Amino acid sequence: MNDRRQAHVAELTGRPFRAWPAEQAKDNGGEDMLRSVLLVAPAVVMITATAVLADSKSDCQKGLEMIKAELKKKHPAPVMATLRKALSGAETEVGEEDWPECMDYIKTARAALKQ
């Protein structure tokens, strides 16, 4: 950059022109670094949340298969009733793509089987 342009930048910003980003970061008290962190953090949160939802979805689908398999076996009447309700609720939640709610029904079914 030529000297005239550097002088113009210095005049507009009220600070001496620094060609290197590290020198510029010193001038603004680390605001650039904070801005960088704030831009990256939401992306990391979104990626993590997507991975968790994918795990819940596959766990829910595996749980549905487990409940269907258990319904084919012989269990006491109260356990069978709980399994049927859990299956019905879980299938509803799959249709709504509400994976955490689906997992609640799967947990109910597993608890009924432990009795």
Side-chain angles (χ1 to χ4, degrees), residues 3 5 9-10 14 16 21 25-26 34 40-41 73-74 76 83-84 90-91 94 97 112:
D3 291 335
R5 181 149 168 92
V9 168
K26 290 177 189 173
L34 177 63
V40 172
K73 298 177 184 177
K74 228 176 189 184
L83 290 174
R84 281 191 209 99
E91 287 176 335
V94 167
E97 295 186 8

Side-chain angles (χ1 to χ4, degrees), residues 54-64 102-103 106 110:
D55 288 344
S56 294
K57 179 180 178 180
S58 66
D59 290 345
C60 179
Q61 291 170 338
K62 289 175 187 174
L64 282 173
C102 176
M103 289 307 299
I106 302 303
R110 287 186 179 136

Side-chain angles (χ1 to χ4, degrees), residues 64-82:
L64 282 173
E65 296 304 316
M66 180 270 303
I67 294 173
K68 290 176 184 177
E70 290 296 328
L71 282 170
K72 293 177 184 176
K73 298 177 184 177
K74 228 176 189 184
H75 293 286
V79 173
M80 292 296 279
T82 303

